[in-house]
Amino acid sequence: MKKIFVLFYLLFLNSQLYSQAVKPTLMILPDKLWMSENNFVKSIDNEGETNLIYDYELAMIKNPDLSAALDKITGEFLKAGFKSENLLQTLDEIKTNAAEDALRRTSKGADGGIRINNIDEIRRKAKTDIEIYIYWKIDNLGPRKRITDIRMKAIDTYTNQDIATSPGKGGDWVSISEVSNAELIRESIVSEMDAFKSSLQLHFDDLFANGRELKLRILTWETAPFDLETDSFGDDELNVLIKNWVRKNAYLGRFSPPTYTETRMEFKSIRIPLSDENGRLDGEDWAKGLVKYLKSIKVTPIKTDPKGLGSVDLILGGK
């Protein structure tokens, strides 16, 4: 009996230590409002629709306060054991990969333009769990300055849901020559850090216990020789086969019942593991298992169209 007790105690202790060691990975970015106020945003016309492009690379290069402030804030999270991806380094890696791809495309006569300010592209490269957006405003008056507003907001990169905020507030006047802007920002952030970090950890603990959320849509091409009610791929209709596969492969079997028609099937929420033996999972990684299953029952062709880290479309039956 004593040996059994010791074994259970060691297992419990190991699980507790592992849980405490697991921290979400973060990326610190300037808030979109800060980007707009500092003229690091531009609008482009996309077939009659105006899209805003936030030029993070230019902001990091042109505004030394931004780079220094993000480094200071990242340091505070590192002290608490949170892992963090560097924004500028991620942008450089994307740019390098894009340049290599552009050379290959150019050699085939295609346009070799490089665009690296798409937040989804940054997310796919960094694969962080949480993004923290920082906004601040500093007023100067003669030899003094102070923060008049500073805010933090954290979002889940897979669902785009807000998971933590710290309210804006002002600060005291300090000497311009004695305190750098980056240090002034860091000092203002530190006073809000404990509650903010606790909210982040609570959210991540939920993901660790229950899995992260994925949205999945199954679509069929108009020209497909089958639809989701076809029963020639197994012992039931295709939509039932897909639902059964999702039930078996969702984390702890947790998913919301899908809505579907003959040509469309949508799962609003499927819980998937944070990682597998190959590392962290995103929606596209997890959906590869479903694609493999569908191909095994002769559902082809299949186009995979990721809509972000936590959303993916599978389009069946195209040419």
Side-chain angles (χ1 to χ4, degrees):
M1 177 65 71
K2 183 177 180 181
K3 290 182 179 179
I4 294 175
F5 173 79
V6 170
L7 177 60
F8 274 104
Y9 174 76
L10 291 174
L11 289 172
F12 172 77
L13 181 61
N14 182 66
S15 66
Q16 290 294 102
L17 290 173
Y18 181 69
S19 176
Q20 292 172 12
V22 174
K23 297 283 187 180
T25 56
L26 313 173
M27 178 173 282
I28 318 294
L29 300 101
D31 188 85
K32 290 180 180 179
L33 178 58
W34 185 94
M35 294 286 287
S36 296
E37 290 180 350
N38 288 273
N39 300 315
F40 294 119
V41 60
K42 53 189 175 184
S43 60
I44 61 170
D45 184 277
N46 183 16
E47 298 180 352
E49 181 179 341
T50 300
N51 291 342
L52 296 179
I53 302 298
Y54 295 91
D55 200 333
Y56 295 106
E57 183 181 30
L58 184 63
M60 296 288 285
I61 294 171
K62 293 290 188 180
N63 191 306
D65 286 344
L66 173 60
S67 182
L70 296 190
D71 285 345
K72 293 279 187 183
I73 297 165
T74 297
E76 294 302 317
F77 282 102
L78 289 174
K79 289 177 185 177
F82 291 85
K83 296 180 180 179
S84 180
E85 293 290 334
N86 182 276
L87 174 58
L88 187 56
Q89 181 178 341
T90 300
L91 291 171
D92 286 342
E93 291 175 0
I94 294 172
K95 189 173 182 180
T96 298
N97 293 340
E100 292 173 353
D101 290 343
L103 282 173
R104 286 191 288 269
R105 289 196 301 270
T106 303
S107 67
K108 298 177 182 179
D111 182 12
I114 300 172
R115 176 179 159 191
I116 62 170
N117 291 300
N118 185 321
I119 189 63
D120 284 332
E121 193 172 2
I122 293 171
R123 287 176 178 175
R124 284 194 295 270
K125 180 63 180 177
K127 287 195 175 183
T128 53
D129 300 296
I130 295 168
E131 288 167 355
I132 298 175
Y133 289 87
I134 309 293
Y135 173 84
W136 71 87
K137 184 177 289 187
I138 297 177
D139 278 358
N140 295 287
L141 182 62
R144 299 185 301 164
K145 62 185 176 184
R146 72 183 181 101
I147 287 182
T148 57
D149 192 6
I150 189 161
R151 286 169 260 161
M152 284 193 298
K153 177 178 71 174
I155 67 168
D156 184 313
T157 56
Y158 287 70
T159 64
N160 280 324
Q161 294 176 345
D162 290 357
I163 56 176
T165 59
S166 68
K169 65 173 187 177
D172 297 328
W173 291 100
V174 298
S175 170
I176 288 177
S177 61
E178 293 179 1
V179 182
S180 68
N181 286 351
E183 186 61 26
L184 187 61
I185 294 165
R186 187 199 69 82
E187 290 175 358
S188 297
I189 290 293
V190 164
S191 63
E192 303 288 331
M193 284 287 280
D194 287 344
F196 194 79
K197 288 184 293 188
S198 295
S199 295
L200 298 186
Q201 190 62 52
L202 284 173
H203 175 74
F204 193 71
D205 287 345
D206 174 69
L207 298 184
F208 186 73
N210 301 305
R212 66 166 85 256
E213 286 191 64
L214 166 70
K215 291 182 180 179
L216 173 68
R217 293 195 307 171
I218 313 292
L219 310 171
T220 58
W221 290 103
E222 292 181 358
T223 56
F226 59 85
D227 59 35
L228 296 174
E229 294 183 350
T230 298
D231 61 4
S232 59
F233 295 108
D235 57 3
D236 216 322
E237 293 182 354
L238 181 55
N239 64 75
V240 176
L241 298 177
I242 292 172
K243 182 179 177 181
N244 288 341
W245 187 93
V246 169
R247 179 184 288 110
K248 291 177 182 178
N249 290 275
Y251 189 66
L252 302 178
R254 294 177 178 173
F255 68 98
S256 62
T259 58
Y260 55 85
T261 65
E262 291 180 352
T263 60
R264 180 189 184 98
M265 188 175 190
E266 183 170 0
F267 294 85
K268 294 286 188 182
S269 176
I270 301 171
R271 291 282 185 155
I272 68 173
L274 294 181
S275 60
D276 62 9
E277 64 276 8
N278 297 315
R280 288 183 178 260
L281 283 175
D282 62 21
E284 184 179 8
D285 295 330
W286 184 85
K288 287 178 181 177
L290 177 54
V291 170
K292 184 177 180 180
Y293 165 72
L294 291 173
K295 288 182 177 179
S296 75
I297 60 173
K298 311 304 181 184
V299 178
T300 57
I302 303 170
K303 174 179 172 59
T304 302
D305 186 13
K307 300 298 183 182
L309 292 178
S311 180
V312 64
D313 291 352
L314 297 184
I315 309 172
L316 314 181
K319 293 182 178 180

